[in-house]
Amino acid sequence: EVQLVESGGGLVQPGGSLTLSCAASGFRFSAYWMSWVRQAPGKGLEWVANIRQDGSEKKYVDSVKGRFNISRDNAKNSLYLQLNNVRVEDTAVYYCASQGAQWWDIFDIWGQGTMVTVSS
Amino acid sequence: DIVMTQSPDSLAVSLGERATINCRSSQSVLYSSDNKNYLAWYQQKPGQPPKLLINWASTRESGVPDRFSGSGSGTDFTLTISSLQAEDVAVYYCQQCYSTPLTFGGGTKVEIK
């Protein structure tokens, strides 16, 4: 079964750090660009970052540049998002999603999401 | 950044009737070298992640009912549900994959009248 399972969400104070993980199974993880997409409570979808198959290229939305770091471990079929210096506005459900062979491919497989709450 | 604007924000349609959702991009998402529109549509039901419905503006994903169709080119796109079913109640998003940052429309909530 094709599956993405996120973990690592929780409550974090403003300025704090958190690392999210996404475990992939049922497909050739190493062949695809991977993304993180977030959704604030009651709001729409926002793409956060994506990473090339070998990890050599990373792209970010401006609002997280310099604070978040996307990475992957193809041997473990896992995707990560390190959140640093978090802000209240980073509160959201974070989804990992697979894309195709190119950064411009659509999000065809989604996880169920992990909730990050930034609050003091 | 390419801004995606959807309209309406919400609509209520009777069962069996047509629902039409519009999406406009702030610049063309038609790539001239392959003549493809880099525009996708997703459906999100409450408590669930989004599900890809349509790629390249008009190509239905495998398993998506044929009552869903996409049209448009350049900057103006439409998602049509030809005969609304109860299971189609959801929020629908358009998304451009023409350039980064990849951006979504604000969503359109479809309900039963």
Side-chain angles (χ1 to χ4, degrees):
Chain A
E1 180 190 5
V2 172
Q3 199 171 3
L4 293 169
V5 178
E6 303 93 336
S7 60
L11 177 64
V12 58
Q13 292 187 336
S17 297
L18 199 64
T19 298
L20 308 181
S21 301
C22 172
S25 58
F27 66 101
R28 198 156 63 99
F29 176 79
S30 61
Y32 300 115
W33 278 77
M34 294 294 297
S35 269
W36 288 97
V37 177
R38 68 183 177 183
Q39 186 169 35
K43 302 297 184 183
L45 300 166
E46 181 183 37
W47 171 78
V48 173
N50 64 2
I51 185 168
R52 190 185 180 103
Q53 289 90 332
D54 62 1
S56 63
E57 189 174 354
K58 304 175 184 181
K59 300 176 185 289
Y60 299 91
V61 69
D62 281 352
S63 60
V64 309
K65 279 180 185 174
R67 300 190 300 120
F68 291 9
N69 181 49
I70 188 172
S71 61
R72 65 191 296 164
D73 184 337
N74 288 337
K76 294 183 178 179
N77 287 337
S78 292
L79 177 72
Y80 306 99
L81 185 68
Q82 183 176 6
L83 290 66
N84 299 314
N85 191 22
V86 296
R87 305 167 180 167
V88 171
E89 56 265 34
D90 295 321
T91 295
V93 173
Y94 284 73
Y95 296 102
C96 69
S98 72
Q99 298 182 252
Q102 310 297 338
W103 64 259
W104 56 80
D105 281 329
I106 41 72
F107 306 112
D108 56 354
I109 305 169
W110 295 71
Q112 289 297 313
T114 187
M115 182 71 202
V116 172
T117 302
V118 182
S119 175
S120 55
Chain B
D1 298 4
I2 297 179
V3 177
M4 307 300 290
T5 303
Q6 286 183 234
S7 63
D9 292 338
S10 64
L11 73 161
V13 176
S14 300
L15 289 172
E17 296 300 306
R18 179 185 301 262
T20 301
I21 300 168
N22 300 302
C23 174
R24 175 168 288 175
S25 56
S26 60
Q27 64 188 74
S28 176
V29 297
L30 175 63
Y31 194 40
S32 56
S33 66
D34 60 10
N35 202 37
K36 286 184 176 180
N37 288 283
Y38 283 59
L39 188 287
W41 288 97
Y42 299 85
Q43 175 194 63
Q44 186 177 33
K45 296 182 179 180
Q48 295 185 18
K51 172 189 173 184
L52 176 66
L53 293 178
I54 286 171
N55 194 8
W56 308 126
S58 61
T59 302
R60 248 188 330 270
E61 288 296 297
S62 174
V64 174
D66 61 7
R67 63 180 180 273
F68 291 93
S69 63
S71 62
S73 184
T75 61
D76 290 283
F77 301 91
T78 300
L79 175 70
T80 302
I81 309 173
S82 60
S83 176
L84 190 74
Q85 304 300 304
E87 61 264 32
D88 301 334
V89 168
V91 179
Y92 293 83
Y93 294 93
C94 60
Q95 180 241 331
Q96 65 81 17
C97 36
Y98 183 88
S99 66
T100 56
L102 305 173
T103 49
F104 293 86
T108 297
K109 186 175 185 179
V110 174
E111 299 173 307
I112 305 295
K113 185 188 292 183

mmCIF file of all heavy atoms in Angstrom, chain A residues 101-120:
data_model
loop_
_atom_site.group_PDB
_atom_site.id
_atom_site.type_symbol
_atom_site.label_atom_id
_atom_site.label_comp_id
_atom_site.label_asym_id
_atom_site.label_seq_id
_atom_site.Cartn_x
_atom_site.Cartn_y
_atom_site.Cartn_z
ATOM 1 N N ALA A 101 8.844 13.179 -10.818
ATOM 2 C CA ALA A 101 10.278 13.238 -11.044
ATOM 3 C C ALA A 101 10.797 14.669 -11.126
ATOM 4 O O ALA A 101 12.011 14.885 -11.057
ATOM 5 C CB ALA A 101 10.629 12.487 -12.322
ATOM 6 N N GLN A 102 9.918 15.630 -11.261
ATOM 7 C CA GLN A 102 10.305 17.033 -11.417
ATOM 8 C C GLN A 102 9.700 17.887 -10.311
ATOM 9 O O GLN A 102 8.627 17.558 -9.785
ATOM 10 C CB GLN A 102 9.856 17.566 -12.776
ATOM 11 C CG GLN A 102 10.240 16.706 -13.962
ATOM 12 C CD GLN A 102 11.740 16.578 -14.158
ATOM 13 O OE1 GLN A 102 12.509 17.421 -13.688
ATOM 14 N NE2 GLN A 102 12.167 15.524 -14.829
ATOM 15 N N TRP A 103 10.348 19.012 -10.017
ATOM 16 C CA TRP A 103 9.841 19.870 -8.936
ATOM 17 C C TRP A 103 8.487 20.451 -9.276
ATOM 18 O O TRP A 103 7.740 20.852 -8.394
ATOM 19 C CB TRP A 103 10.824 21.006 -8.617
ATOM 20 C CG TRP A 103 11.052 22.001 -9.719
ATOM 21 C CD1 TRP A 103 12.118 22.047 -10.562
ATOM 22 C CD2 TRP A 103 10.192 23.083 -10.094
ATOM 23 N NE1 TRP A 103 11.966 23.082 -11.443
ATOM 24 C CE2 TRP A 103 10.806 23.744 -11.179
ATOM 25 C CE3 TRP A 103 8.973 23.576 -9.619
ATOM 26 C CZ2 TRP A 103 10.243 24.852 -11.793
ATOM 27 C CZ3 TRP A 103 8.402 24.684 -10.221
ATOM 28 C CH2 TRP A 103 9.038 25.310 -11.302
ATOM 29 N N TRP A 104 8.147 20.474 -10.583
ATOM 30 C CA TRP A 104 6.889 21.069 -10.984
ATOM 31 C C TRP A 104 5.753 20.048 -11.075
ATOM 32 O O TRP A 104 4.657 20.376 -11.511
ATOM 33 C CB TRP A 104 7.031 21.797 -12.330
ATOM 34 C CG TRP A 104 7.548 20.947 -13.442
ATOM 35 C CD1 TRP A 104 6.849 20.051 -14.206
ATOM 36 C CD2 TRP A 104 8.893 20.899 -13.915
ATOM 37 N NE1 TRP A 104 7.674 19.455 -15.129
ATOM 38 C CE2 TRP A 104 8.929 19.954 -14.989
ATOM 39 C CE3 TRP A 104 10.074 21.548 -13.569
ATOM 40 C CZ2 TRP A 104 10.102 19.672 -15.679
ATOM 41 C CZ3 TRP A 104 11.225 21.265 -14.264
ATOM 42 C CH2 TRP A 104 11.237 20.330 -15.308
ATOM 43 N N ASP A 105 6.023 18.826 -10.681
ATOM 44 C CA ASP A 105 4.959 17.819 -10.719
ATOM 45 C C ASP A 105 3.966 18.031 -9.585
ATOM 46 O O ASP A 105 4.281 18.624 -8.557
ATOM 47 C CB ASP A 105 5.551 16.413 -10.644
ATOM 48 C CG ASP A 105 6.104 15.953 -11.986
ATOM 49 O OD1 ASP A 105 5.548 16.383 -13.025
ATOM 50 O OD2 ASP A 105 7.075 15.186 -11.994
ATOM 51 N N ILE A 106 2.777 17.494 -9.778
ATOM 52 C CA ILE A 106 1.698 17.654 -8.824
ATOM 53 C C ILE A 106 1.938 16.827 -7.574
ATOM 54 O O ILE A 106 2.811 15.963 -7.527
ATOM 55 C CB ILE A 106 0.338 17.271 -9.469
ATOM 56 C CG1 ILE A 106 0.497 16.017 -10.347
ATOM 57 C CG2 ILE A 106 -0.193 18.401 -10.299
ATOM 58 C CD1 ILE A 106 0.705 14.733 -9.667
ATOM 59 N N PHE A 107 1.143 17.118 -6.544
ATOM 60 C CA PHE A 107 1.188 16.372 -5.289
ATOM 61 C C PHE A 107 0.232 15.192 -5.420
ATOM 62 O O PHE A 107 -0.976 15.363 -5.308
ATOM 63 C CB PHE A 107 0.774 17.266 -4.132
ATOM 64 C CG PHE A 107 1.548 18.548 -4.040
ATOM 65 C CD1 PHE A 107 0.935 19.768 -4.295
ATOM 66 C CD2 PHE A 107 2.896 18.559 -3.709
ATOM 67 C CE1 PHE A 107 1.631 20.955 -4.214
ATOM 68 C CE2 PHE A 107 3.604 19.743 -3.630
ATOM 69 C CZ PHE A 107 2.966 20.948 -3.884
ATOM 70 N N ASP A 108 0.768 14.000 -5.660
ATOM 71 C CA ASP A 108 -0.118 12.882 -5.951
ATOM 72 C C ASP A 108 -0.365 11.961 -4.762
ATOM 73 O O ASP A 108 -1.360 11.258 -4.736
ATOM 74 C CB ASP A 108 0.375 12.090 -7.165
ATOM 75 C CG ASP A 108 1.801 11.597 -7.003
ATOM 76 O OD1 ASP A 108 2.453 11.963 -6.012
ATOM 77 O OD2 ASP A 108 2.261 10.852 -7.883
ATOM 78 N N ILE A 109 0.525 11.951 -3.785
ATOM 79 C CA ILE A 109 0.322 11.134 -2.581
ATOM 80 C C ILE A 109 0.497 12.052 -1.381
ATOM 81 O O ILE A 109 1.474 12.803 -1.314
ATOM 82 C CB ILE A 109 1.343 9.986 -2.494
ATOM 83 C CG1 ILE A 109 1.301 9.126 -3.764
ATOM 84 C CG2 ILE A 109 1.065 9.119 -1.264
ATOM 85 C CD1 ILE A 109 2.452 8.145 -3.865
ATOM 86 N N TRP A 110 -0.444 11.997 -0.450
ATOM 87 C CA TRP A 110 -0.433 12.847 0.734
ATOM 88 C C TRP A 110 -0.487 11.987 1.989
ATOM 89 O O TRP A 110 -1.148 10.957 2.024
ATOM 90 C CB TRP A 110 -1.641 13.777 0.757
ATOM 91 C CG TRP A 110 -1.708 14.787 -0.337
ATOM 92 C CD1 TRP A 110 -1.959 14.551 -1.664
ATOM 93 C CD2 TRP A 110 -1.554 16.203 -0.196
ATOM 94 N NE1 TRP A 110 -1.969 15.745 -2.357
ATOM 95 C CE2 TRP A 110 -1.721 16.772 -1.483
ATOM 96 C CE3 TRP A 110 -1.297 17.052 0.880
ATOM 97 C CZ2 TRP A 110 -1.632 18.148 -1.716
ATOM 98 C CZ3 TRP A 110 -1.211 18.422 0.652
ATOM 99 C CH2 TRP A 110 -1.373 18.958 -0.638
ATOM 100 N N GLY A 111 0.191 12.446 3.026
ATOM 101 C CA GLY A 111 0.018 11.835 4.327
ATOM 102 C C GLY A 111 -1.206 12.405 5.019
ATOM 103 O O GLY A 111 -1.887 13.290 4.475
ATOM 104 N N GLN A 112 -1.462 11.933 6.225
ATOM 105 C CA GLN A 112 -2.620 12.391 7.003
ATOM 106 C C GLN A 112 -2.315 13.685 7.764
ATOM 107 O O GLN A 112 -3.233 14.340 8.249
ATOM 108 C CB GLN A 112 -3.067 11.306 7.975
ATOM 109 C CG GLN A 112 -3.726 10.114 7.304
ATOM 110 C CD GLN A 112 -5.011 10.485 6.591
ATOM 111 O OE1 GLN A 112 -5.860 11.184 7.125
ATOM 112 N NE2 GLN A 112 -5.157 10.025 5.350
ATOM 113 N N GLY A 113 -1.063 14.017 7.865
ATOM 114 C CA GLY A 113 -0.689 15.272 8.506
ATOM 115 C C GLY A 113 -0.330 15.132 9.972
ATOM 116 O O GLY A 113 -0.745 14.184 10.645
ATOM 117 N N THR A 114 0.474 16.085 10.452
ATOM 118 C CA THR A 114 0.825 16.167 11.859
ATOM 119 C C THR A 114 0.656 17.616 12.288
ATOM 120 O O THR A 114 1.057 18.540 11.570
ATOM 121 C CB THR A 114 2.248 15.648 12.124
ATOM 122 O OG1 THR A 114 2.489 15.593 13.537
ATOM 123 C CG2 THR A 114 3.319 16.502 11.469
ATOM 124 N N MET A 115 0.045 17.829 13.450
ATOM 125 C CA MET A 115 -0.302 19.167 13.904
ATOM 126 C C MET A 115 0.849 19.798 14.683
ATOM 127 O O MET A 115 1.399 19.182 15.612
ATOM 128 C CB MET A 115 -1.545 19.110 14.797
ATOM 129 C CG MET A 115 -2.018 20.465 15.292
ATOM 130 S SD MET A 115 -2.743 21.419 13.951
ATOM 131 C CE MET A 115 -2.584 23.080 14.613
ATOM 132 N N VAL A 116 1.186 21.016 14.318
ATOM 133 C CA VAL A 116 2.171 21.803 15.050
ATOM 134 C C VAL A 116 1.457 23.027 15.620
ATOM 135 O O VAL A 116 0.824 23.777 14.880
ATOM 136 C CB VAL A 116 3.326 22.243 14.128
ATOM 137 C CG1 VAL A 116 4.245 23.219 14.857
ATOM 138 C CG2 VAL A 116 4.097 21.033 13.622
ATOM 139 N N THR A 117 1.565 23.195 16.919
ATOM 140 C CA THR A 117 0.962 24.345 17.579
ATOM 141 C C THR A 117 2.063 25.173 18.229
ATOM 142 O O THR A 117 2.826 24.649 19.049
ATOM 143 C CB THR A 117 -0.042 23.910 18.651
ATOM 144 O OG1 THR A 117 -1.052 23.088 18.058
ATOM 145 C CG2 THR A 117 -0.707 25.119 19.301
ATOM 146 N N VAL A 118 2.158 26.425 17.827
ATOM 147 C CA VAL A 118 3.155 27.330 18.397
ATOM 148 C C VAL A 118 2.437 28.285 19.342
ATOM 149 O O VAL A 118 1.630 29.108 18.913
ATOM 150 C CB VAL A 118 3.895 28.107 17.305
ATOM 151 C CG1 VAL A 118 4.970 28.996 17.935
ATOM 152 C CG2 VAL A 118 4.505 27.152 16.285
ATOM 153 N N SER A 119 2.733 28.138 20.606
ATOM 154 C CA SER A 119 2.053 28.950 21.613
ATOM 155 C C SER A 119 2.864 28.971 22.897
ATOM 156 O O SER A 119 3.556 27.996 23.225
ATOM 157 C CB SER A 119 0.656 28.372 21.895
ATOM 158 O OG SER A 119 0.018 29.067 22.947
ATOM 159 N N SER A 120 2.757 30.076 23.612
ATOM 160 C CA SER A 120 3.430 30.180 24.905
ATOM 161 C C SER A 120 2.484 29.761 26.026
ATOM 162 O O SER A 120 2.884 29.751 27.195
ATOM 163 C CB SER A 120 3.908 31.611 25.122
ATOM 164 O OG SER A 120 2.835 32.521 24.979
#
